[in-house]
Amino acid sequence: VVPALAMDASSIQTVLFMPISYVPSQPDGSRIAYSRSDWQSPGMTYHEICSMNPDGSDIDKLIDNPAIYGSFPKWSPDGSKIADTGYNDTSDKSELFTINSSGADRTTLSEGLSRARDPSWSPESRKVAFVEVVEEYPSYRTEIYSVNNDGSNLRRLTDTEVSAYSPQWSPDGNRIVYGVLQDGNRDIF
């Protein structure tokens, strides 16, 4: 359920009732993007990336493809694109991709990688930082990468023996802060 709260906090209206995972709004507040589960048949689910007006009207399916599982769509700060990571049945990879605000022009940003997660837009909307799972067994290890919003200049930013997670850009876009999980302890770098 996605409740909408009036700006003066006088009323709450349910604008959406379905299984959803994350609800970010466009920077100007005019649209909300979300991922929802759609159950096709017993044991078969896929996720659609949709957008809607804040009052729940005008729902648009931006990605409606059972081969691509969207998860946590995030608007670019300029509101022109949405970044998301999702599993692609066709490639058998978890990819980082962008779409424009209408759902067109899908661009894969994590070419050559296979387990992208947790995108974070730079303040000027030109780059995306994200987490890549580099080792699953015997230990789970992740690293931070960045890439231009057109898929060029893919770079690994960390090289740790532990798990780096939750990259966030500094307001000026010159630095990235991230967390590290080591031996059950969390640190910020």
Side-chain angles (χ1 to χ4, degrees):
V1 174
V2 179
L5 181 63
M7 292 306 290
D8 65 1
S10 62
S11 65
I12 297 177
Q13 173 189 5
T14 300
V15 294
L16 189 63
F17 185 77
M18 65 190 66
I20 61 169
S21 60
Y22 182 72
V23 186
S25 66
Q26 199 168 19
D28 68 3
S30 64
R31 300 290 288 174
I32 294 171
Y34 60 95
S35 173
R36 73 176 186 175
S37 300
D38 190 6
W39 287 271
Q40 298 299 303
S41 61
M44 291 285 296
T45 65
Y46 75 96
H47 302 278
E48 302 168 325
I49 297 174
C50 301
S51 71
M52 68 178 178
N53 291 333
D55 67 0
S57 65
D58 192 25
I59 295 175
D60 289 326
K61 290 182 183 178
L62 303 178
I63 292 186
D64 183 14
N65 182 340
I68 299 170
Y69 303 79
S71 56
F72 300 102
K74 294 183 180 177
W75 290 100
S76 59
D78 68 7
S80 67
K81 294 185 178 196
I82 297 170
D84 199 359
T85 59
Y87 181 76
N88 185 328
D89 277 345
T90 307
S91 68
D92 193 31
K93 295 179 179 181
S94 177
E95 301 173 337
L96 169 66
F97 60 90
T98 59
I99 54 176
N100 69 23
S101 59
S102 70
D105 299 326
R106 185 180 187 280
T107 303
T108 300
L109 303 182
S110 58
E111 200 64 47
L113 302 176
S114 61
R115 304 250 183 311
R117 297 192 168 96
D118 197 17
S120 174
W121 283 98
S122 64
E124 76 289 340
S125 303
R126 289 185 291 145
K127 295 183 179 189
V128 179
F130 64 98
V131 172
E132 169 74 7
V133 178
V134 295
E135 183 179 333
E136 290 198 47
Y137 303 104
S139 63
Y140 185 79
R141 193 165 61 87
T142 58
E143 299 292 353
I144 306 295
Y145 284 72
S146 74
V147 63
N148 292 344
N149 68 8
D150 64 0
S152 65
N153 199 27
L154 177 65
R155 295 181 32 205
R156 183 173 174 171
L157 302 178
T158 60
D159 188 11
T160 68
E161 295 299 318
V162 294
S163 287
Y165 63 93
S166 299
Q168 298 297 316
W169 292 85
S170 63
D172 64 7
N174 290 325
R175 297 181 186 267
I176 296 173
V177 65
Y178 61 94
V180 171
L181 178 61
Q182 181 176 10
D183 299 326
N185 298 314
R186 297 181 188 272
D187 293 310
I188 296 175
F189 288 89

